[in-house]
Amino acid sequence: MNKREPSLNFIFITLLLDILGLGLIIPVLPKLIESFTNNDIQTASRDYGILLGVYALMQFLFAPILGSLSDKYGRRPIILIALLGAGIDYLFLAIAPSLGWLFVGRVISGITSANITTATAYIVDISPPEKRAQNFGLLGVAFGVGFIIGPALGGLLGNVGLRVPFLVVAGVTLLNVLYGYFVLPESLKPENRRSFSWARANPIGSLFGLSKYPIALALASTIVLTNLAQTSLQSTWVLYTSYRFNWGTSEVGISLAVVGLTAGLVQGLLIGKIVPKIGERRALLVGLTISAFTFVLYGLANAGWMMYAVTLIGALGGIAGPSAQSIMTQNVQANEQGAVQGALTSINALTGVVGPLIATFVFGYFISERAPIHLPGAAFFLAAIFMVIGIVLAINTFRRLPATSVSAVPENLPPPMMH
């Protein structure tokens, strides 16, 4: 097994199966929570936001630890641990007799949720700098394809029973563990490994670690705001479409499948053509602008078909993510990619704690009788505001940085630890 060459295909399939499982439960999890609240959508939206926040909080606390461990022991074992934790979580969701058990499962999953982080570092390990944006696009393809099949299948299975998708996803995820154990090779070379440090592994310390890399640190504020916007979309999509258009699990699943299809097409076919032509910085700004416009249109939609039309436009915003990742990783040493990706995941997780709480509260408030106006799309309008502020900050950052997209990796840093 140790003699095999690392392959992007292995990590792509692993991520695809992982995301497929995640997509299966999205259409039904809010409905399952609603079943514990006597079908009170305002209470369910609040509990759903808290559930997402608890998961993100665990991710914030533990992702830097697992990221730093991957820098010492390699990417492969951390990916397998993350998958195993997710499988256990899905089993908890499948058999949960009360809302409290759902929280137990989410805590376990949040603690071990380093799969995307470590997979990102894996891609960095095996990709030359000029290919990283394109290869990060493949990660987007995995998301796209997984969210094409997963939500549609989850919506159909949800019609059979709200617990059925969780049983299926548990099986898929645990099979993914076996697949990774027998097929996934290690990507991190021994000379690029370094010792574990609690100073780097704690979430606050990992954020300070970004200070060595001006571009990564400068873009962090934009990432925070855009992540707040994205979590608003993710945490209220099912609630919003169910409330405003009376969509069931099948309709929600199909809509998310369309989101996945359009995202996959953009990430797989357009990233490699658009980004080299217009540059990573411009691609980032164009993508964020499209996304801001998309949020406004989602909030204004008054018919279900409009959500599909807006999705076609919004998919083009997908050029922003890989561009930002590429700008950052090209300014980080090979033996610190895992830690930096862990720090970025901590930022994502921290916004994931706050974002769903804000979005679901705003949604619940503006559909209640207490609101001064009835505005179901309020969470989307707030997301658009977050995105616009992020764009302004990104423009300001680029004005203060060198004209080239890539700056030199800082010199005089400690050499990689040998093991």
Side-chain angles (χ1 to χ4, degrees), residues 220-236:
S221 56
T222 294
I223 290 174
V224 167
L225 289 162
T226 55
N227 284 345
L228 285 174
Q230 291 296 335
T231 55
S232 297
L233 176 67
Q234 297 161 7
S235 58
T236 59

Side-chain angles (χ1 to χ4, degrees), residues 333 410-414:
Q333 287 186 334
E411 298 179 355
N412 301 322
L413 292 179

Side-chain angles (χ1 to χ4, degrees), residues 232-253:
S232 297
L233 176 67
Q234 297 161 7
S235 58
T236 59
W237 179 274
V238 178
L239 299 169
Y240 176 77
T241 55
S242 298
Y243 176 83
R244 190 154 195 179
F245 312 122
N246 199 29
W247 284 2
T249 56
S250 295
E251 291 88 351
V252 169

Side-chain angles (χ1 to χ4, degrees), residues 24 27-28 31-32 151-168 248-250:
L24 274 168
V28 294
K31 295 289 185 182
L32 181 61
L153 182 59
L156 293 174
L157 292 174
N159 286 333
V160 178
L162 288 178
R163 311 261 181 171
V164 174
F166 300 105
L167 292 172
V168 173
T249 56
S250 295

Side-chain angles (χ1 to χ4, degrees), residues 57-400:
L57 178 61
M58 294 299 102
Q59 190 180 50
F60 170 72
L61 295 174
F62 289 92
I65 297 176
L66 295 178
S68 291
L69 286 173
S70 79
D71 280 337
K72 179 176 182 178
Y73 297 107
R75 318 302 184 196
R76 181 177 179 273
I78 304 304
I79 289 174
L80 296 180
I81 290 172
L83 289 173
L84 182 61
I88 294 173
D89 166 46
Y90 294 138
L91 287 177
F92 268 91
L93 295 177
I95 64 175
S98 66
L99 191 61
W101 282 97
L102 297 183
F103 280 91
V104 172
R106 291 278 83 185
V107 166
I108 295 172
S109 184
I111 290 173
T112 59
S113 61
N115 205 18
I116 303 300
T117 302
T118 312
T120 303
Y122 192 110
I123 292 173
V124 172
D125 293 339
I126 64 176
S127 304
E130 67 274 10
K131 290 286 187 180
R132 285 180 184 169
Q134 181 177 346
N135 288 344
F136 280 131
L138 289 178
L139 196 152
V141 173
F143 269 94
V145 175
F147 276 115
I148 292 169
I149 302 173
L153 182 59
L156 293 174
L157 292 174
N159 286 333
V160 178
L162 288 178
R163 311 261 181 171
V164 174
F166 300 105
L167 292 172
V168 173
V169 72
V172 170
T173 303
L174 294 176
L175 286 175
N176 199 8
V177 176
L178 292 176
Y179 173 82
Y181 181 80
F182 288 108
V183 179
L184 186 67
E186 181 54 62
S187 66
L188 186 63
K189 297 178 181 180
E191 62 268 24
N192 287 331
R193 301 190 183 191
R194 65 174 181 173
S195 61
F196 179 83
S197 168
W198 281 109
R200 292 188 299 261
N202 76 78
I204 304 301
S206 71
L207 295 179
F208 282 122
L210 289 176
S211 62
K212 289 188 273 187
Y213 304 103
I215 289 181
L217 182 63
L219 287 176
S221 56
T222 294
I223 290 174
V224 167
L225 289 162
T226 55
N227 284 345
L228 285 174
Q230 291 296 335
T231 55
S232 297
L233 176 67
Q234 297 161 7
S235 58
T236 59
W237 179 274
V238 178
L239 299 169
Y240 176 77
T241 55
S242 298
Y243 176 83
R244 190 154 195 179
F245 312 122
N246 199 29
W247 284 2
T249 56
S250 295
E251 291 88 351
V252 169
I254 292 172
S255 71
L256 291 171
V258 172
V259 171
L261 176 61
T262 55
L265 290 174
V266 169
Q267 300 280 359
L269 300 179
L270 299 182
I271 289 283
K273 297 179 181 179
I274 294 177
V275 175
K277 183 172 293 187
I278 68 176
E280 290 164 339
R281 293 187 184 184
R282 191 170 297 167
L284 173 59
L285 295 176
V286 169
L288 296 180
T289 301
I290 292 172
S291 295
F293 182 60
T294 300
F295 284 126
V296 173
L297 294 180
Y298 279 139
L300 294 174
N302 55 22
W305 66 266
M306 294 182 180
M307 301 297 283
Y308 290 97
V310 175
T311 295
L312 298 177
I313 300 172
L316 295 173
I319 64 175
S323 299
Q325 285 277 24
S326 182
I327 292 171
M328 290 183 177
T329 61
Q330 292 179 46
N331 292 272
V332 178
Q333 287 186 334
N335 69 324
E336 296 193 8
Q337 292 288 349
V340 170
Q341 293 299 329
L344 294 176
T345 298
S346 290
I347 292 175
N348 293 343
L350 194 57
T351 57
V353 175
V354 179
L357 294 175
I358 294 175
T360 54
F361 171 80
V362 169
F363 170 77
Y365 176 75
F366 277 97
I367 65 171
S368 71
E369 296 180 355
R370 297 178 288 115
I373 58 173
H374 184 256
L375 194 64
F380 293 129
F381 298 140
L382 180 61
I385 294 172
F386 287 147
M387 194 69 74
V388 169
I389 298 173
I391 293 168
V392 172
L393 292 175
I395 292 173
N396 183 59
T397 297
F398 292 153
R399 284 175 177 171
R400 294 184 287 108

